[in-house]
Amino acid sequence: MKLRQRVVTLIGLSLCGFIVIINLLGGRFSQLLTCSPNVVKDVSRTLRQLSAENHYYIGRKRLNKSNYTSDGAGLASGINPDGEVTSNAWIDDSHDVIRLQKALNGIKRHVSENDGSEDLKNDGEMRSQHKTNRDIEDEKKSNLSAWEKFHEGISQYELYAENDPAIDDLLYDLAKVPIVDAEQLSGGTQIKLIMTLVDNNQALMKPMRWPREQESLPDHYYFSDYERHTAEIAAFHLDRVLNFRRSPPVAGRILNITKDIKQYSDDSFHRTFFWSPAKNLCFFGSCSYYCDTNHAICGKPGVRLEGSMAVFLPPENLAPRKTWRHPYRRSYSKHKKAKWEKNRNYCEEKVKTKAPYNKGRRLLDLMDMAAFDFLIGNLDRHHYETFLDFENDTVPIHMDHGRAFGHSRKDDKSCLAPIEQCCVIRYSTLKRIITFDTGAKKLSQVMRESLAKDVLPHVLLEPHLVALDRRLKIIVKMIHRCVKRRGQDKVIIDDGF
């Protein structure tokens, strides 16, 4: 930035800061920025440029599996998407633009001094090369199916690219392409079916068991809770809305039990089908929990059945994955507590000191997962997976959310134990959270619009959508407490993602 432009901008910032102080003294909190449009534009541009000048990008690897295809081939809480300053839930004393700018600079200094960013490659060169590679890949992918495009698009830090049109095509296929085979998935606590489509692609189907109004029973433990097909759908959409893009695509589908399931069942599965007194076709299959006549899955009405259809990841022989025990796994016992529930220093003593959480991005990914699980009410995160090809420098896959969205009025803060104990959060994650919390368009509204695209109506009922907004505020308050206790440089980490 030229010296003259910096001087003009700093003058503008000072004027805005003066106006802010006057407005605060006058109690006019709704009119924090009354500077001229040009000055506000300069302030916003400065904040964006400061972020761009010091923000680091990392080259992203992709799964190198050509045989997937048929042919063998501003901090901040205070900056909205337009760069304008809004209310800051975690800054105690001031909404001053200058202080916000210093906060941004402070976070960038933390990255450049302490996080090894000097080892990163030249950003412009890398992005140019990445763009060229992506153009070549797009040409190759033009004749692939949506499934193949999804598998080809999996990369080191995301399962699919932002605004990738192939994902919407894939969701359509999951919901509409004819089914030609169905079989039970062996193992698991509740019944799941592998559905083969006419194009020979497969999806994991979880059938509707309970009505949407049925929430988790108060006397049920998290490990014996019912699975909900709508929870799988909503979790994928939330993961996408939050821009994590770590959940395999899931779509709702309306099936015909006779044509889509029963006619393909083997003998043992076939024997579990029966007609209920209400003249609905039912089945219960074989599983650990709830696979008996009293907990049968029935058409509503007749042979009509709702289900969630989740795309399979590439097969293990092509893209092997590693399973990790979650460090904040629950005890899965009626009588014992997990170690992290009994030791408030668990993160410092047992997590931050051990691989892969003692270096790299994984600790921050764990915090992302904690925020995500809290928002959806998922207490069942016992393990997670990563792709072996990318070693430890990759994201955990967000999947298996059938027990989420069980309570609309209860916020289980134990899901936030990783954030509360480790007291760190990724810059970009906090920025998205506060944008939804303080912005004009709330998370519930964005989710409502996203879920409306699914073929199933009312994937989430209104109380669950309202809960998302309420839980965002709880996350912000927890980060606020960490910032007060440890300082923003140690809490809010910009690792370039």
Side-chain angles (χ1 to χ4, degrees):
M1 191 185 296
K2 294 181 179 178
L3 178 61
R4 179 181 176 183
Q5 186 179 354
R6 287 186 181 274
V7 172
V8 170
T9 302
L10 287 173
I11 293 173
L13 289 169
S14 301
L15 288 172
C16 284
F18 176 75
I19 292 172
V20 168
I21 293 170
I22 296 299
N23 282 336
L24 286 173
L25 291 173
R28 296 195 298 275
F29 293 100
S30 62
Q31 300 177 358
L32 286 177
L33 290 177
T34 55
C35 304
S36 71
N38 289 336
V39 173
V40 173
K41 189 181 296 184
D42 285 341
V43 172
S44 300
R45 186 186 302 114
T46 299
L47 292 172
R48 286 196 296 270
Q49 287 175 340
L50 283 167
S51 180
E53 286 174 1
N54 298 284
H55 201 87
Y56 298 96
Y57 295 87
I58 297 176
R60 306 186 177 205
K61 296 187 288 187
R62 305 174 69 79
L63 283 173
N64 184 23
K65 303 293 179 184
S66 61
N67 49 354
Y68 293 161
T69 68
S70 56
D71 61 357
L75 185 40
S77 69
I79 307 176
N80 65 18
D82 297 321
E84 299 168 339
V85 178
T86 59
S87 62
N88 294 286
W90 64 269
I91 296 180
D92 284 335
D93 304 318
S94 175
H95 299 274
D96 196 323
V97 179
I98 297 177
R99 179 170 180 175
L100 184 58
Q101 182 187 17
K102 289 180 179 178
L104 278 168
N105 286 336
I107 293 171
K108 303 308 177 182
R109 285 196 298 270
H110 176 82
V111 173
S112 60
E113 292 172 6
N114 301 322
D115 288 326
S117 56
E118 66 275 4
D119 295 331
L120 300 179
K121 294 183 180 180
N122 178 269
D123 173 45
E125 226 177 87
M126 213 162 213
R127 287 171 62 81
S128 175
Q129 182 63 35
H130 182 64
K131 183 176 180 180
T132 303
N133 292 342
R134 181 59 69 86
D135 290 341
I136 296 172
E137 290 170 2
D138 287 345
E139 291 179 11
K140 291 181 179 179
K141 289 169 65 175
S142 60
N143 295 323
L144 304 181
S145 70
W147 245 269
E148 292 168 329
K149 290 178 182 178
F150 169 63
H151 286 175
E152 283 282 336
I154 295 174
S155 65
Q156 188 175 4
Y157 304 123
E158 58 194 18
L159 292 185
Y160 54 91
E162 187 175 4
N163 301 319
D164 184 351
I167 301 304
D168 289 331
D169 294 339
L170 182 56
L171 295 175
Y172 177 87
D173 288 354
L174 288 167
K176 297 294 185 180
V177 171
I179 293 169
V180 296
D181 192 27
E183 61 178 304
Q184 289 189 88
L185 178 68
S186 60
T189 59
Q190 301 182 41
I191 188 169
K192 305 173 185 67
L193 301 176
I194 300 175
M195 314 301 288
T196 304
L197 308 183
V198 72
D199 54 11
N200 209 35
N201 290 309
Q202 291 184 320
L204 181 67
M205 196 276 277
K206 292 187 178 182
M208 175 180 178
R209 185 184 290 277
W210 314 109
R212 287 160 174 71
E213 295 78 12
Q214 176 69 60
E215 298 199 354
S216 298
L217 300 178
D219 291 327
H220 270 203
Y221 283 92
Y222 53 87
F223 50 81
S224 60
D225 195 13
Y226 310 130
E227 291 205 16
R228 304 165 191 85
H229 68 302
T230 51
E232 294 285 4
I233 302 166
F236 159 70
H237 281 264
L238 181 61
D239 175 88
R240 194 182 190 187
V241 164
L242 292 175
N243 212 30
F244 290 141
R245 303 193 301 282
R246 301 168 197 170
S247 272
V250 184
R253 181 164 183 143
I254 298 173
L255 303 98
N256 181 304
I257 297 178
T258 302
K259 294 180 179 179
D260 294 331
I261 301 174
K262 185 179 180 181
Q263 71 163 324
Y264 303 118
S265 60
D266 59 23
D267 290 342
S268 61
F269 187 21
H270 194 274
R271 285 194 291 270
T272 71
F273 285 78
F274 64 94
W275 287 94
S276 74
K279 306 301 181 185
N280 297 322
L281 183 57
C282 306
F283 64 94
F284 53 84
S286 175
C287 62
S288 302
Y289 299 157
Y290 310 124
C291 279
D292 55 58
T293 306
N294 294 329
H295 299 94
I297 294 161
C298 298
K300 295 177 175 55
V303 297
R304 181 186 185 276
L305 177 68
E306 289 186 8
S308 64
M309 299 277 286
V311 64
F312 277 111
L313 293 170
E316 286 277 350
N317 63 325
L318 298 180
R321 299 188 295 275
K322 180 174 181 177
T323 299
W324 303 78
R325 182 185 175 94
H326 197 295
Y328 281 85
R329 180 184 187 272
R330 296 172 190 273
S331 67
Y332 286 80
S333 168
K334 301 181 183 70
H335 310 292
K336 297 179 181 179
K337 287 187 175 182
K339 292 180 180 179
W340 58 266
E341 293 178 282
K342 298 182 289 185
N343 180 6
R344 294 189 63 84
N345 296 319
Y346 178 81
C347 180
E348 298 295 333
E349 297 173 1
K350 303 295 184 181
V351 180
K352 288 185 177 181
T353 58
K354 296 181 179 179
Y357 309 105
N358 59 347
K359 62 179 180 179
R361 60 171 291 148
R362 189 66 61 83
L363 182 66
L364 295 177
D365 289 335
L366 197 70
M367 302 303 111
D368 288 349
M369 190 182 290
F372 179 68
D373 282 339
F374 175 66
L375 290 172
I376 66 177
N378 179 35
L379 281 67
D380 194 31
R381 184 77 69 186
H382 43 84
H383 292 81
Y384 64 87
E385 295 183 359
T386 60
F387 286 105
L388 275 176
D389 277 15
F390 304 135
E391 300 177 341
N392 289 343
D393 187 23
T394 187
V395 295
I397 302 168
H398 294 174
M399 59 183 181
D400 196 10
H401 305 119
R403 290 191 171 118
F405 294 104
H407 295 282
S408 61
R409 293 174 176 82
K410 176 184 176 183
D411 305 321
D412 202 314
K413 296 181 183 178
S414 64
C415 292
L416 291 176
I419 295 178
E420 184 177 32
Q421 292 186 1
C422 300
C423 257
V424 292
I425 193 77
R426 179 172 274 130
Y427 168 99
S428 58
T429 300
L430 179 61
K431 183 176 179 180
R432 283 193 296 271
I433 287 173
I434 295 183
T435 296
F436 281 123
D437 181 40
T438 63
K441 206 165 190 178
K442 300 298 183 183
L443 179 59
S444 59
Q445 183 179 348
V446 178
M447 276 291 287
R448 196 177 292 112
E449 293 171 0
S450 183
L451 291 170
K453 299 173 185 177
D454 195 86
V455 299
L456 300 184
H458 311 297
V459 174
L460 281 185
L461 297 182
E462 196 62 24
H464 288 289
L465 292 168
V466 172
L468 292 174
D469 295 334
R470 183 179 68 244
R471 290 166 186 166
L472 276 183
K473 294 183 181 298
I474 294 173
I475 297 174
V476 170
K477 288 180 180 178
M478 184 169 289
I479 297 300
H480 179 203
R481 289 196 295 269
C482 284
V483 168
K484 288 178 67 176
R485 187 164 74 248
R486 298 191 176 186
Q488 66 189 24
D489 286 351
K490 293 182 178 180
V491 175
I492 306 167
I493 308 301
D494 189 348
D495 63 347
F497 293 95

